[in-house]
Amino acid sequence: MRKILLAGIAVAMMATPAFAANYRFVIVPKAMNNPFFDFARDGCEKRAKELGNIECIYKGPVEHEPATQAQIIQDFITQKVDGLAISVADVAAMTKSIEAASAAGIPVITFDADAPGSKRIAYIGTNNKEFGVALGKQLLKLRPDGGKYAMVSGGPGAKNLAERVDGVREALKGSKWTEVSGSPTFCNDDPALAVQQMTDLRTATPDLAAIIPVGGWPMFAPEGFKAFASRYKKEIDSGKFTLVVADTLKMQLELLRDGYANALVGQRPFEMGEKAMDTLLAIKKGEKVPEIVYTGLDLVTKDNVAKMLK
């Protein structure tokens, strides 16, 4: 009899999955070909594993396509997942998607890029206005003498990027810096296009003194960025041409270390992924969560880049 019971237990153990998640939480980036979001995915997966009762699902458009992002969210609503964390590619489109999820009883938070007028419960990420101000202040610190500058942005419908652009302008208001016509350009989170736009900006304005990409896109194509910066290396070294770039991924830190940029202002996407899981779990437990959680910034120059790379 004991052998029969033991055999029954063994069969039951074999039939039971090693891990059965109580909750399926989805993190939806703007674009999966953007390495910035890989860190949010990693933070999400790490925290889900630590919590033990959560499955972290990571899925978004391959490229920056707001309509595709909306369709992906609709698919998850149909699947009745337990929670969504969305980096909003287009505020108008996502406001409708968030409303649909909320109507289906699925809690939604945003990370990285917000939709504050929507039915999202919380936002986790960067204070994007302060992010832009920090980028502008870095330029002002490096080049108080001023000159002509331009910005490179991502998607024109992304509120977080618009706030960064406004922040840069606010920081440089009243200084000797003037923004050129046609700035910012919009690369739609395409690294190769971002590099091309930097080239076009410099060609259109030969005396352009600075470019500020408000996201790390051009550096996400490191060889292309290096080729661009190499053409102006002497000017970068002498302080006649300044590159202050958003984000601090490893490839970017290496480019800064090697002298292909002057400063970086970084976000903390890994922490965004972690906190997204904590927040969605708290919501499912009926706990009150803060509406806004800012994850902070990192300022990097040649003076501390080696420390950041360790």
Side-chain angles (χ1 to χ4, degrees):
M1 183 67 177
R2 184 171 180 273
K3 288 182 179 180
I4 294 172
L5 285 171
L6 288 172
I9 292 169
V11 170
M13 289 178 67
M14 291 175 65
T16 302
F19 170 76
N22 293 339
Y23 299 113
R24 293 182 300 149
F25 294 151
V26 184
I27 190 163
V28 185
K30 291 181 185 176
M32 293 181 71
N33 68 349
N34 184 336
F36 174 87
F37 292 110
D38 292 347
F39 289 90
R41 174 203 63 203
D42 294 347
C44 168
E45 291 178 348
K46 174 180 176 289
R47 191 67 184 126
K49 185 176 180 180
E50 290 170 349
L51 292 167
N53 61 340
I54 293 173
E55 178 185 1
C56 170
I57 302 169
Y58 176 76
K59 185 176 180 180
V62 175
E63 299 179 344
H64 185 279
E65 295 175 341
T68 303
Q69 187 183 46
Q71 183 56 57
I72 287 169
I73 290 167
Q74 183 56 53
D75 291 344
F76 281 123
I77 293 171
T78 302
Q79 294 173 35
K80 298 182 179 179
V81 296
D82 296 296
L84 291 161
I86 305 168
S87 177
V88 176
D90 182 275
V91 173
M94 281 304 100
T95 296
K96 294 178 182 178
S97 295
I98 293 169
E99 184 174 350
S102 179
I106 300 171
V108 180
I109 64 173
T110 55
F111 78 100
D112 171 60
D114 196 13
S118 69
K119 291 187 176 181
R120 64 97 172 109
I121 297 169
Y123 165 71
I124 298 167
T126 303
N127 182 324
N128 285 287
K129 184 68 174 292
E130 288 186 4
F131 190 11
V133 169
L135 287 164
K137 284 184 175 179
Q138 279 293 94
L139 176 59
L140 200 54
K141 182 178 179 181
L142 291 165
R143 292 282 302 277
D145 53 314
K148 298 176 182 178
Y149 79 95
M151 289 182 276
V152 176
S153 189
K159 180 177 172 56
N160 66 324
L161 301 180
E163 290 174 347
R164 295 179 198 177
V165 168
D166 289 344
V168 171
R169 289 170 177 163
E170 181 178 303
L172 298 177
K173 186 178 181 180
S175 73
K176 296 178 180 179
W177 284 99
T178 57
E179 187 175 1
V180 300
S181 176
S183 170
T185 60
F186 296 101
C187 70
N188 288 316
D189 290 18
D190 183 329
L193 181 56
V195 173
Q196 183 59 52
Q197 288 177 344
M198 291 178 70
T199 302
D200 294 343
L201 286 166
R202 184 63 198 250
T203 300
T205 308
D207 59 342
L208 191 67
I211 299 178
I212 304 177
V214 299
W217 315 288
M219 282 183 156
F220 298 162
E223 293 306 315
F225 184 88
K226 188 183 294 186
F228 167 81
S230 294
R231 293 198 291 272
Y232 307 105
K233 192 69 166 56
K234 290 183 179 179
E235 294 180 53
I236 293 171
D237 292 340
S238 66
K240 292 182 179 179
F241 184 48
T242 304
L243 297 172
V244 178
V245 187
D247 297 326
T248 50
L249 274 61
K250 185 173 184 287
M251 66 187 78
Q252 297 180 267
L253 294 170
E254 291 171 347
L255 287 165
L256 174 61
R257 177 199 62 195
D258 296 340
Y260 294 103
N262 303 93
L264 304 174
V265 180
Q267 305 175 82
R268 297 170 183 170
F270 188 90
E271 189 174 340
M272 294 179 200
E274 287 184 308
K275 290 186 179 298
M277 295 300 98
D278 289 333
T279 302
L280 285 171
L281 181 59
I283 292 168
K284 293 300 288 187
K285 289 181 175 180
E287 299 172 7
K288 187 175 181 180
V289 299
E291 183 182 358
I292 304 292
V293 177
Y294 290 135
T295 47
L297 298 171
D298 296 303
L299 307 179
V300 188
T301 66
K302 62 180 181 180
D303 297 327
N304 65 334
V305 67
K307 182 178 179 182
M308 289 290 290
L309 276 165
K310 287 183 180 179

